[in-house]
mmCIF file of all heavy atoms in Angstrom:
data_model
loop_
_atom_site.group_PDB
_atom_site.id
_atom_site.type_symbol
_atom_site.label_atom_id
_atom_site.label_comp_id
_atom_site.label_asym_id
_atom_site.label_seq_id
_atom_site.Cartn_x
_atom_site.Cartn_y
_atom_site.Cartn_z
ATOM 1 N N THR A 235 -25.017 7.662 14.497
ATOM 2 C CA THR A 235 -24.119 6.586 14.947
ATOM 3 C C THR A 235 -23.453 6.009 13.691
ATOM 4 O O THR A 235 -23.799 6.344 12.532
ATOM 5 C CB THR A 235 -24.985 5.453 15.576
ATOM 6 O OG1 THR A 235 -25.821 4.858 14.564
ATOM 7 C CG2 THR A 235 -25.815 5.958 16.712
ATOM 8 N N PRO A 236 -22.390 5.149 13.866
ATOM 9 C CA PRO A 236 -21.716 4.561 12.719
ATOM 10 C C PRO A 236 -22.748 3.788 11.835
ATOM 11 O O PRO A 236 -22.648 3.817 10.597
ATOM 12 C CB PRO A 236 -20.771 3.624 13.317
ATOM 13 C CG PRO A 236 -20.351 4.233 14.613
ATOM 14 C CD PRO A 236 -21.648 4.849 15.105
ATOM 15 N N THR A 237 -23.694 3.106 12.446
ATOM 16 C CA THR A 237 -24.663 2.313 11.612
ATOM 17 C C THR A 237 -25.563 3.258 10.818
ATOM 18 O O THR A 237 -25.839 3.066 9.670
ATOM 19 C CB THR A 237 -25.520 1.484 12.566
ATOM 20 O OG1 THR A 237 -24.706 0.576 13.352
ATOM 21 C CG2 THR A 237 -26.570 0.688 11.811
ATOM 22 N N GLU A 238 -26.035 4.331 11.483
ATOM 23 C CA GLU A 238 -26.851 5.307 10.746
ATOM 24 C C GLU A 238 -26.074 5.983 9.668
ATOM 25 O O GLU A 238 -26.564 6.265 8.576
ATOM 26 C CB GLU A 238 -27.424 6.294 11.743
ATOM 27 C CG GLU A 238 -28.417 5.707 12.745
ATOM 28 C CD GLU A 238 -28.691 6.548 13.982
ATOM 29 O OE1 GLU A 238 -27.927 7.564 14.159
ATOM 30 O OE2 GLU A 238 -29.631 6.254 14.724
ATOM 31 N N THR A 239 -24.787 6.304 9.927
ATOM 32 C CA THR A 239 -23.920 6.965 8.957
ATOM 33 C C THR A 239 -23.774 6.072 7.704
ATOM 34 O O THR A 239 -23.813 6.540 6.567
ATOM 35 C CB THR A 239 -22.568 7.240 9.515
ATOM 36 O OG1 THR A 239 -22.751 8.119 10.719
ATOM 37 C CG2 THR A 239 -21.668 7.984 8.523
ATOM 38 N N ALA A 240 -23.643 4.724 8.009
ATOM 39 C CA ALA A 240 -23.486 3.795 6.807
ATOM 40 C C ALA A 240 -24.758 3.792 5.956
ATOM 41 O O ALA A 240 -24.615 3.754 4.697
ATOM 42 C CB ALA A 240 -23.151 2.429 7.366
ATOM 43 N N ILE A 241 -25.918 3.875 6.587
ATOM 44 C CA ILE A 241 -27.149 3.854 5.792
ATOM 45 C C ILE A 241 -27.272 5.168 5.016
ATOM 46 O O ILE A 241 -27.658 5.172 3.840
ATOM 47 C CB ILE A 241 -28.392 3.662 6.740
ATOM 48 C CG1 ILE A 241 -28.222 2.324 7.428
ATOM 49 C CG2 ILE A 241 -29.654 3.663 5.906
ATOM 50 C CD1 ILE A 241 -27.997 1.092 6.552
ATOM 51 N N ILE A 242 -26.941 6.272 5.681
ATOM 52 C CA ILE A 242 -26.988 7.609 5.011
ATOM 53 C C ILE A 242 -26.022 7.549 3.782
ATOM 54 O O ILE A 242 -26.349 8.002 2.648
ATOM 55 C CB ILE A 242 -26.597 8.704 5.944
ATOM 56 C CG1 ILE A 242 -27.672 8.915 7.030
ATOM 57 C CG2 ILE A 242 -26.386 10.050 5.173
ATOM 58 C CD1 ILE A 242 -27.315 9.788 8.158
ATOM 59 N N ALA A 243 -24.813 6.993 3.974
ATOM 60 C CA ALA A 243 -23.863 6.887 2.880
ATOM 61 C C ALA A 243 -24.420 6.065 1.727
ATOM 62 O O ALA A 243 -24.170 6.352 0.561
ATOM 63 C CB ALA A 243 -22.580 6.306 3.380
ATOM 64 N N SER A 244 -25.196 5.010 2.038
ATOM 65 C CA SER A 244 -25.729 4.128 0.977
ATOM 66 C C SER A 244 -26.745 4.890 0.163
ATOM 67 O O SER A 244 -26.788 4.833 -1.063
ATOM 68 C CB SER A 244 -26.344 2.874 1.611
ATOM 69 O OG SER A 244 -25.346 2.116 2.231
ATOM 70 N N VAL A 245 -27.644 5.622 0.870
ATOM 71 C CA VAL A 245 -28.661 6.408 0.185
ATOM 72 C C VAL A 245 -28.002 7.503 -0.661
ATOM 73 O O VAL A 245 -28.384 7.735 -1.819
ATOM 74 C CB VAL A 245 -29.635 7.036 1.223
ATOM 75 C CG1 VAL A 245 -30.582 7.984 0.537
ATOM 76 C CG2 VAL A 245 -30.400 5.948 1.954
ATOM 77 N N TYR A 246 -26.976 8.097 -0.104
ATOM 78 C CA TYR A 246 -26.239 9.178 -0.845
ATOM 79 C C TYR A 246 -25.584 8.598 -2.112
ATOM 80 O O TYR A 246 -25.648 9.145 -3.198
ATOM 81 C CB TYR A 246 -25.184 9.765 0.094
ATOM 82 C CG TYR A 246 -24.204 10.722 -0.546
ATOM 83 C CD1 TYR A 246 -24.481 12.101 -0.615
ATOM 84 C CD2 TYR A 246 -22.965 10.254 -1.138
ATOM 85 C CE1 TYR A 246 -23.606 12.979 -1.180
ATOM 86 C CE2 TYR A 246 -22.128 11.151 -1.726
ATOM 87 C CZ TYR A 246 -22.418 12.476 -1.767
ATOM 88 O OH TYR A 246 -21.548 13.362 -2.325
#
Side-chain angles (χ1 to χ4, degrees):
T235 66
T237 301
E238 293 163 347
T239 302
I241 301 307
I242 292 170
S244 297
V245 174
Y246 173 90

